[in-house]
Structure formats: C-alpha cells, structure tokens
Amino acid sequence: MIRSRLTHVALAFVASLATASAGAVEPWRILAQSKKQTPQPPWPAGDERGMANQIGAATWARCAWHLGNAKAKAYELSHVRSNTMPLSAFSGPYVQKPKPTASIPGSTHAFNLEQYEAGAEPGQQGTQIDALGHFGVLRQPWDGKPPIAVDDAVYYGGYTQKDVKPTPESGLLKLGMEKAPPIVTSAVLLDAKKAVGGGQPMKAGELVTAKHIEEMLKAQGLAKRGILPGDVLYVYTGWGDYWQDPDTEKFYYTKGPGLSYDAAKYLGDRRIVAIGLDTPFVDPVPEGMLAGKAGPAAGVPPGLPFALHHHMLTQMGIHHIENAKLDELARDKVWTSCTMVLPMLEKGSAGSPIRPVAYGVPGQ
C-alpha cells in the first residue's frame, strides 16, 4: 500500500513537470536525480548485462516525463521486414515462406503460418540488436587459413570461447540475447546528416567523431544535458535514406558511414546502454572493404576493422542497434525521447530482430 502511494506521488510529480515544461528537454530536477540513482560499475562478478545494468528506476523516471507529455508523439524506429528488403552481406537469404492455409480434422478452424528458409538469420537482418556475445577477440589476427583459433577468443567480462560457445553447434551459453533486459530509457538523437554531411547522407567510410558529437550536442541545445549514463544514443547519418524495399540497387549493405574509434571510447566513458545508427554496421565501412579491395576506415587499431563492434560489445558491454529508421525523428527534431527496445528472449542467440519505438515532443 505504501509503495503504491509513493508510485502515485512520483507519477503525479512527473506529470506536473511535463505540463509545466512541455516542449523542453527533460527538467533538470529529473535528470540530476536520475543521474545520482543510476547504478555504476563495477558490476557483480559473472555479469552478462554490461551497461544494461543501468536500466531501472532512474532511466524509467527520465522516460516518464516524455510519456506524460501531452505533446509527445510515437515514432517507429524500425523498417518493415520483408523478403525483398536489403540483406546482410554476412547472412544467407532472408526468406519467410508462407505455408498453405491449414485446418484441424473435425474442426472449423482455418489458420495461416510462415516458415524461414535455411540461412535466413533473422536476428542479423533488418532492424536488429546485437547480443554481447556477438563478438569476441582473438589473441592473434587470423591469417585466413583454416582452422580459426577460436579457442583463444575472449568475450565481454573475460569469458572464454569455452564459456560462451564451446562447440560449433552450440548456442551462446553466456552473453546471449536472452540476458539483455527490456531497454526502456531516455534517448538522444544526433543529426549527423546535417552536421557532418551538410544536409546530404554521409558518405561510405565517413566518420562521426567524438568532436562531432560534442558539436552536435551544442548545436541541438543539448550541451548542458549531455549524454547521460543509461541513455541510448541514436545517430542519424542519412544512410538510411537509401533503404529501399524492394532493394533494386543492391548497395545499401555493401558499405556505409559510421562512428570513429575515438567516438566509441567517448561514448563508452559516458556509459550509454546502446548505440543505434541508420546504417548496416555502426562501424564505418569504406567502399570495397567487404570485398577485400580497400582497407578499413582511418583510425581503427590494427587487426580490428570493426573496431566499434570490438570496443562496444567486448570491452564495454554496450549493445548495437543497426538499421534503425531515424528519418522521422530527425525531421521533427525530437532530440530527446523515451525509447523502448525489446529484444526477443531467444536463448543462446547472438542477435534479435527488434521493433524499437520512441516517444518524444517534436520541435525541441
């Protein structure tokens, strides 16, 4: 009973702030209090959640202000999934095959189902999120000759290959998608298409640096707020403008802009829970890199062409959201919002399809 009354009081307080501050960035009282209440590392021994340990009362309080604001709108941050959408260069064909309408003997039921064709990899296609066990790091660069020395791989939290994936047929015994909680927290959107691309989609291999992030925070009126522990950061590069369905051009997944390595370290220090871009990789991928005709983007450490995946997943415990649909959020200048990202509880999975949403006030 006492807890229920406290909840009502808290909600009433948030609602009053929303009414008084409609259209503004979250009130400083909420932000200051939530920052104090956000859990801090080091996390308990055996941790498999990483920065998602911060999700809880503090991030929900920041969310409540957006949800309680009468001017807030709901935004879909996912592309529609289909057999003709752009497909990952690392996965088999994404084919969802309808089955014939079926029935049950002696019944009047008619029902419809679908099945995936072999190699579809739904967890790594379309708008999706990476589990922390998606990437590990080898002791030495692989020379391209089999077998790969996977037994030497180390993952987030110091887990070894034996801990995470002891056999080729094994799912992830540690750091699988089912270990991620529902991500319900405040989000910041940065418009790199405008700030870095000059109003045009950023080019393949082009970088969003730590300096760019600070410049965008200032230009968008977020310098004082900054990026808070427990936030999700969305970065609109404009590459998502090239998403087509049906995908007739066949180049969306072959290259793309992304974050620089110094931006990864910058965001890791700020303890975000997830980073989401409107790109296939989060990492910058210059034209020709996937085909072995060009090297990785500037500034990545030797042997780590996907340095963002390395730093965020294996070192910091920060999830990746790829192929986020951010154009409408950027168009309406919803720089802060409440975002909800719900991965599937797929045991042992290295990734999951998601339908992220954001609730925010246009024209902030």
Side-chain angles (χ1 to χ4, degrees):
M1 181 66 72
I2 293 175
R3 184 175 181 180
S4 178
R5 288 174 182 171
L6 289 174
T7 301
H8 285 301
V9 170
L11 289 174
F13 170 67
V14 170
S16 68
L17 286 175
T19 302
S21 308
V25 176
E26 306 103 305
W28 302 118
R29 282 176 286 175
I30 290 179
L31 297 181
Q33 188 66 20
S34 71
K35 193 170 183 179
K36 293 178 182 178
Q37 294 176 343
T38 304
Q40 298 182 28
W43 312 123
D47 173 58
E48 296 184 59
R49 285 195 171 197
M51 291 300 178
N53 280 293
Q54 299 171 111
I55 298 296
T59 65
W60 301 336
R62 300 201 297 253
C63 253
W65 180 82
H66 295 282
L67 294 173
N69 196 308
K71 295 184 179 181
K73 290 177 58 178
Y75 294 86
E76 294 278 359
L77 306 186
S78 174
H79 292 287
V80 175
R81 302 171 71 86
S82 79
N83 292 353
T84 54
M85 68 183 180
L87 298 177
S88 170
F90 298 100
S91 300
Y94 180 92
V95 180
Q96 187 188 73
K97 185 177 179 181
K99 299 176 72 174
T101 301
S103 186
I104 299 172
S107 78
T108 58
H109 299 304
F111 56 88
N112 298 295
L113 299 168
E114 300 83 30
Q115 64 184 1
Y116 287 114
E117 292 292 290
E121 296 191 28
Q124 295 295 331
Q125 301 273 28
T127 305
Q128 52 93 201
I129 188 170
D130 288 337
L132 298 186
H134 177 46
F135 256 54
V137 57
L138 302 175
R139 292 182 182 177
Q140 299 291 334
W142 179 41
D143 61 7
K145 300 176 182 178
I148 305 170
V150 294
D151 289 343
D152 292 338
V154 179
Y155 295 80
Y156 169 78
Y159 289 111
T160 66
Q161 184 75 10
K162 184 178 180 181
D163 300 322
V164 176
K165 189 176 172 66
T167 68
E169 297 78 20
S170 170
L172 302 185
L173 304 185
K174 299 285 187 182
L175 306 174
M177 202 72 256
E178 79 277 12
K179 303 300 173 59
I183 298 174
V184 180
T185 186
S186 50
V188 170
L189 172 72
L190 297 180
D191 189 351
K193 177 182 177 181
K194 178 180 179 181
V196 183
Q200 299 297 317
M202 291 178 60
K203 298 178 179 63
E206 194 170 9
L207 303 174
V208 177
T209 67
K211 183 180 179 181
H212 287 142
I213 291 173
E214 292 191 334
E215 290 172 349
M216 286 185 282
L217 288 169
K218 183 177 180 181
Q220 294 176 205
L222 298 172
K224 185 176 180 181
R225 182 199 186 280
I227 297 170
L228 299 177
D231 275 346
V232 168
L233 179 65
Y234 292 117
V235 180
Y236 176 52
T237 70
W239 193 258
D241 298 358
Y242 297 131
W243 179 280
Q244 295 183 6
D245 192 354
D247 181 23
T248 55
E249 300 298 325
K250 305 294 184 184
F251 81 88
Y252 174 86
Y253 256 107
T254 65
K255 53 191 174 182
L259 298 183
S260 67
Y261 186 54
D262 79 317
K265 292 187 285 187
Y266 176 94
L267 296 172
D269 290 344
R270 278 145 188 81
R271 303 194 342 246
I272 61 171
V273 170
I275 175 69
L277 270 68
D278 60 332
T279 67
F281 312 109
V282 176
D283 284 276
V285 174
E287 186 167 7
M289 174 181 156
L290 297 185
K293 299 178 180 179
V300 302
L304 295 172
F306 289 90
L308 269 291
H309 277 69
H310 167 74
H311 188 73
M312 295 295 201
L313 295 174
T314 73
Q315 305 300 300
M316 303 304 302
I318 295 171
H319 291 285
H320 285 178
I321 297 170
E322 296 169 346
N323 303 312
K325 186 179 182 298
L326 302 174
D327 56 330
E328 293 179 344
L329 212 60
R331 177 200 65 198
D332 286 358
K333 299 181 179 180
V334 183
W335 306 140
T336 67
S337 63
C338 170
T339 193
M340 300 183 185
V341 184
L342 308 180
M344 295 176 63
L345 291 175
E346 192 76 44
K347 187 173 182 178
S349 175
S352 171
I354 50 172
R355 183 185 178 181
V357 295
Y359 298 86
V361 178
Q364 294 181 52

